[in-house]
Amino acid sequence: MAGTRPFGVTLVAIIAWINGAWDILVGIFSILPGGTSIWVGPFLIVFGIVTILVSLGLFGGRNWARVLTAILFVLNLLGAVALLFQGQIWQGIGGAILPVIGLALLFSERANAFFRS
């Protein structure tokens, strides 16, 4: 199945991996002295690690990875919306870009056909 993986699915896996790495970095900076939150940081680090691990399942065409990636992307979007409501406009917009692109590619026609096979 891996040989027939659409480019969009590969791109989503890469986007998910990047998004997970970003969450880890933000989590690390959150818990450093002067960071925004000692409580949010560890959550973001774990969230980022889970996102990276799930993204690896996308490369193998695992439907469970697709479902979990979609859930993780939606959670990322909710976090981005929360940033917007906190007045952190650019962080909110920046945090929403990759999940929106990822969701669009994850449920494209070619991706749907790939995960059905």
Side-chain angles (χ1 to χ4, degrees):
M1 184 192 297
T4 61
R5 182 179 60 235
F7 175 73
V9 173
T10 302
L11 188 57
V12 168
I14 293 168
I15 288 171
W17 194 95
I18 291 169
N19 206 43
W22 180 256
D23 286 341
I24 292 169
L25 285 174
V26 171
I28 290 170
F29 283 109
S30 292
I31 61 175
L32 291 176
T36 57
S37 173
I38 191 78
W39 302 107
V40 173
F43 172 78
L44 285 174
I45 292 168
V46 170
F47 193 80
I49 291 168
V50 170
T51 301
I52 288 173
L53 292 174
V54 170
S55 75
L56 298 177
L58 291 174
F59 286 111
R62 307 288 188 250
N63 199 46
W64 61 263
R66 178 189 196 199
V67 171
L68 289 176
T69 300
I71 291 168
L72 292 170
F73 280 162
V74 168
L75 291 173
N76 270 294
L77 282 173
L78 292 174
V81 169
L83 288 173
L84 291 173
F85 281 110
Q86 294 173 3
Q88 299 178 27
I89 304 300
W90 292 112
Q91 292 91 336
I93 293 171
I97 291 172
L98 289 180
V100 166
I101 294 170
L103 284 169
L105 291 172
L106 197 57
F107 291 97
S108 68
E109 280 186 50
R110 292 191 70 209
N112 287 337
F114 172 66
F115 285 106
R116 273 194 303 266
S117 61

